[in-house]
Amino acid sequence: MNTNNGANIGAATDRGILAVGAYLPRLRLDRKSVAAGHRWMAPGLRGLAQGVRSMANWDEDAITMAVEAGRRALAAAQAPAPEMLTLASTTLPFADRLNAAVVASALSLPKALAASDCGGSLRAGSSALIRALQGSGGQQLLIASERRIPRPASTAELMVGDGAAALLVGEGEPIARLLGSASLTADFVDHFRESGRDGDYGWEERWVRDEGLSKLVPPVVKQALQAAGVDANRIDHFVMPEKLRKVGPMVAKKVGVRPETIVDPLFDRCGDTGAAHPLLMLARTLAKAGPGQTILVVQFGSGCDALVLETTDRATGSDTEPAWLDEGQVETNYLKYLSFTGQIELEWGMRAEMDNKTALSAAWRAEETVHGFSGGRCGECGTVQFPASRICVNPDCGAVDTQQPYRLADEPAKIRSFTCDWLSYKPCPPFMFGHVEFANAARVLMEFADCDPADLAVGVPLDMVFRIKEVDPMRGFRRYFWKAKPQLKAGE
């Protein structure tokens, strides 16, 4: 078992968590609708049919959700651009392509960035966080993101959710510092998933609880508490995703943590988001914790990670829930979920029969334009245009070779015109697109996302979101671009 006393590192370098960001998809799948679809063959699922779980839209995956979480963490930070990016997940879309490079490109991070993917177990996020907090040097952006596709009628279909969380770690004025940690690596196989397949194969829950969670986790937690020099009864927030229901109270009792400190695992609101979940729960806890409070974070998977953190004076102690947790629209159409996850093949007609081959040479030449949503700003008249070109589009200017890169992803924008097309193929019809007008007067023809036709109107304010543009099933490739998402009021 590996232990670390992080108190000395934190005190000497003032290293810790500088900012957090979290993202859940807009859609929340109603568990009762799922259980109702399986009532004829698995009536026992109704016992888990409570609340909702987060559900990625057809154009979302671990990369796009990571971008949104990363944007929120960077927006909350008052720190230089990160020098290192780690993307943790067990469901990254590419096995041999640096997924973190796509995220870095969408975030417009420096090309000199050191980026890496990590996965292999649900501890990918927590283990990466330990390494980042124990490290030295510049800022590190850690993002954990997950979109698992469990088999229909499995308990996992109801238990899991989709989402992402990001933490900016470095030196400065942190929200929380690491006091100590411990890790255990063990080939305890409670579930597994072969490469290239969807759906985990899980072993008997009683055995996982009695032989895995009950015997492997408590010693690691005690080692972490010892390394931190903190008694268990001093823990203010116990963060542990519930791999199985009610395991949090069991572990808390075994290690001496007070039961009232157990943090809500968010089962009823989004489900377990896999490798992202300990960071997602930590993001919520940091938003609510006051200064000088201790947080114990535990994640189980091929062993166990345990971290003991202490908040600083920068912790605000808010009583309100973070906005990312309350946003959402309940989805009761289970067939739509099966279609979005590719688990049911629908007849879309001849218009869906198209070859979406991507020219990789063109993709590389347009990388900053497409992933970075970078247009051009004329150095003579200040006109912003997309895409950039040699000649300014302002008819009163027409200057040549004066364009400077100008990122549009974070610019305020509104709908100038819109169309709902029911004839063109889209995995979630209708195809909604139109002209988007930015505050700097630039206009771009864009696709709308995360909305219904009734949400569209001229003048509606928009946010830009990074999404899958097209999937090429013949070659296993997917293209990404930015879409426009109407800003909706709470509850809409």
Side-chain angles (χ1 to χ4, degrees), residues 406-452:
Y406 191 97
R407 180 174 164 86
L408 291 169
D410 303 313
E411 286 287 306
K414 62 182 180 181
I415 296 177
R416 182 174 176 82
S417 66
F418 63 93
T419 298
C420 299
D421 181 355
W422 286 92
L423 298 178
S424 299
Y425 165 71
K426 278 293 167 183
C428 186
F431 177 28
M432 294 175 284
F433 63 97
H435 274 101
V436 170
E437 183 172 28
F438 291 84
N440 52 37
R443 297 174 186 174
V444 183
L445 185 64
M446 298 186 70
E447 184 176 347
F448 298 113
D450 280 355
C451 63
D452 298 315

Side-chain angles (χ1 to χ4, degrees), residues 52-309:
V52 296
R53 50 148 294 187
S54 51
M55 167 185 161
N57 212 325
W58 74 269
D59 57 358
E60 293 185 289
D61 62 11
I63 283 181
T64 66
M65 294 189 292
V67 170
E68 293 306 314
R71 290 174 76 191
R72 296 178 183 190
L74 293 175
Q78 297 179 351
E83 299 172 9
M84 181 180 296
L85 170 64
T86 300
L87 177 58
S89 177
T90 69
T91 53
L92 293 173
F94 292 97
D96 190 356
R97 179 190 180 187
L98 189 59
N99 297 273
V102 183
V103 174
S105 181
L107 295 175
S108 288
L109 298 180
K111 293 293 185 185
L113 182 84
S116 62
D117 297 340
C118 68
S121 89
L122 296 182
R123 285 198 294 132
S126 58
S127 297
L129 178 57
I130 291 176
R131 290 192 294 271
L133 289 168
Q134 291 176 346
S136 59
Q139 323 292 355
Q140 297 186 31
L141 180 61
L142 163 64
I143 310 177
S145 181
E146 202 81 279
R147 189 199 182 194
R148 290 179 288 180
I149 303 178
R151 293 181 178 179
S154 65
T155 57
E157 187 180 39
L158 295 172
M159 294 285 290
V160 309
D162 306 319
L167 302 174
L168 184 66
V169 176
E171 298 173 7
E173 297 181 0
I175 305 170
R177 298 187 183 91
L178 177 69
L179 298 182
S181 66
S183 296
L184 171 71
T185 297
D187 189 27
F188 180 87
V189 186
D190 60 312
H191 73 283
F192 64 89
R193 185 189 332 132
E194 186 182 24
S195 296
R197 294 184 60 168
D198 291 328
D200 296 350
Y201 185 89
W203 206 247
E204 182 186 1
E205 291 185 1
R206 182 176 59 84
W207 180 77
V208 175
R209 180 184 295 105
D210 295 347
E211 293 297 320
L213 288 154
S214 179
K215 294 182 178 179
L216 297 180
V217 174
V220 181
V221 174
K222 292 177 180 177
Q223 287 285 345
L225 291 169
Q226 184 178 8
V230 174
D231 292 334
N233 59 12
R234 277 191 52 212
I235 295 296
D236 297 301
H237 305 276
F238 179 35
V239 176
M240 181 175 176
E242 287 201 336
K243 167 69 180 173
L244 303 174
R245 302 301 301 271
K246 308 301 181 186
V247 297
M250 179 195 72
V251 172
K253 184 177 181 180
K254 282 182 174 290
V255 301
V257 171
R258 290 173 290 136
E260 61 269 25
T261 67
I262 298 174
V263 173
D264 179 3
L266 305 178
F267 173 80
D268 292 339
R269 307 175 78 167
C270 65
D272 187 313
T273 57
H277 210 57
L279 276 58
L280 198 76
M281 292 176 64
L282 176 60
R284 176 175 178 262
T285 302
L286 289 173
K288 299 174 74 69
Q293 297 188 345
T294 53
I295 303 172
L296 172 62
V297 181
V298 177
Q299 176 67 323
F300 176 75
S302 299
C304 180
D305 286 330
L307 303 83
V308 181
L309 303 165

Side-chain angles (χ1 to χ4, degrees), residues 348-430:
W348 290 100
M350 294 176 61
R351 299 193 181 200
E353 298 172 0
M354 57 183 130
D355 189 344
N356 289 327
K357 181 178 181 179
T358 297
L360 300 181
S361 51
W364 167 244
R365 284 194 288 268
E367 183 208 9
E368 292 187 13
T369 300
V370 175
H371 287 175
F373 204 4
S374 179
R377 184 177 185 276
C378 177
E380 293 290 332
C381 68
T383 297
V384 178
Q385 65 183 74
F386 183 89
S389 65
R390 290 194 62 196
I391 303 174
C392 176
V393 295
N394 183 352
D396 296 328
C397 178
V400 179
D401 293 335
T402 61
Q403 305 264 307
Q404 297 297 319
Y406 191 97
R407 180 174 164 86
L408 291 169
D410 303 313
E411 286 287 306
K414 62 182 180 181
I415 296 177
R416 182 174 176 82
S417 66
F418 63 93
T419 298
C420 299
D421 181 355
W422 286 92
L423 298 178
S424 299
Y425 165 71
K426 278 293 167 183
C428 186

